[in-house]
Amino acid sequence: MSGAGIRVVVVDDHPVFRLGMMSLLATLPGLQVVGQAADSASARALVDDTVDVVLMDLDLGGESGIDLTRELVRAHPGLAVLVVTMSEADESVAAAVRVGARGYLLKDATPDAVERGIRAVASGEMIMGPRVAARAMAHLVGGRTAVRVPFPELTAREREVLDLLARGYDNAVISRRLVLSPKTVRNHVATILAKLSLSDRAAAIVRAREEGLGVDHS
């Protein structure tokens, strides 16, 4: 940590959230925002060994914040990644921690919680938002057998897209149901095909249904 305080980079593909977060951090003593990125390539170019904390969204418009976290932590061992995202899914939390994230907050966290999270991970602590921590504790105390997650190599958002794909929906419908742009849906589909080594949408539908996706369990 430099004499200028905690040096922070914000990585999020939503400009309103990203700029709002930067405005908040600019008001906090001892914190210095040194950059912002909307995608993986920009983040790689910004983050170096002088950066203390990266605030990381998990869904970067078709790119994976999990993969980027793994890459940045490996390249910069002193870096602390604090995930700030919409997903409170157990598998997303577990994946983030496995690749080296030191904290996990939801995007509805209060400004005080964000500040506490940044200062905590910068000092080497692990921190989770209250809802995330409560779910983790319930899982441990309840002693439940872990539920097998289909396609663990996919992000939670990619599994949502694949599930809707397996239901026979086209990109336009998936876009409306998940409130995503058509381009983002196309990027997700392309990433899913690449990660699962599938040739086309038809093959993805077959694989997804084999794993139980695309089925109405109600």
Side-chain angles (χ1 to χ4, degrees):
M1 196 179 305
S2 71
I6 301 171
R7 295 168 58 85
V8 183
V9 168
V10 179
V11 181
D12 195 294
D13 69 325
H14 290 89
V16 173
F17 181 85
R18 188 174 67 249
L19 295 175
M21 179 62 74
M22 293 177 63
S23 295
L24 166 66
L25 300 184
T27 69
L28 302 178
L31 270 62
Q32 180 185 1
V33 180
V34 295
Q36 57 167 313
D39 54 45
S40 296
S42 300
R44 292 187 200 102
L46 273 174
V47 176
D48 57 24
D49 289 336
T50 68
V51 175
D52 299 305
V53 176
V54 169
L55 299 190
M56 177 74 71
D57 190 11
L58 294 187
D59 185 2
L60 299 175
E63 298 179 302
S64 169
I66 294 291
D67 293 342
L68 181 58
T69 296
R70 179 192 294 111
E71 186 177 338
L72 292 180
V73 169
R74 284 178 177 173
H76 311 286
L79 181 68
V81 174
L82 174 61
V83 171
V84 184
T85 191
M86 293 290 292
S87 175
E88 57 186 298
D90 295 342
E91 61 266 26
S92 296
V93 179
V97 172
R98 277 198 302 269
V99 299
R102 292 189 193 168
Y104 199 106
L105 299 178
L106 299 180
K107 282 190 173 180
D108 62 0
T110 65
D112 285 347
V114 172
E115 180 181 5
R116 285 196 303 272
I118 292 172
R119 297 190 191 282
V121 299
S123 64
E125 299 175 38
M126 172 72 79
I127 190 165
M128 291 187 178
R131 289 213 309 276
V132 174
R135 285 172 63 95
M137 185 60 68
H139 183 84
L140 290 172
V141 172
R144 295 178 292 148
T145 301
V147 177
R148 189 180 75 86
V149 176
F151 307 114
E153 61 268 59
L154 301 182
T155 66
R157 176 63 86 189
E158 288 162 357
R159 273 190 294 275
E160 288 179 317
V161 171
L162 182 56
D163 180 68
L164 294 177
L165 191 65
R167 292 170 186 260
Y169 297 134
D170 61 20
N171 285 4
V173 174
I174 295 173
S175 174
R176 290 195 298 272
R177 290 179 70 102
L178 296 181
V179 196
L180 298 172
S181 72
K183 179 181 178 182
T184 296
V185 173
R186 287 196 302 273
N187 289 340
H188 279 313
V189 172
T191 300
I192 290 166
L193 295 179
K195 284 186 176 181
L196 301 183
S197 301
L198 298 171
S199 58
D200 53 31
R201 294 169 71 97
I205 290 171
V206 171
R207 280 288 308 278
R209 289 178 177 172
E210 288 174 350
E211 291 293 323
L213 296 183
V215 178
D216 188 354
H217 296 286
S218 59

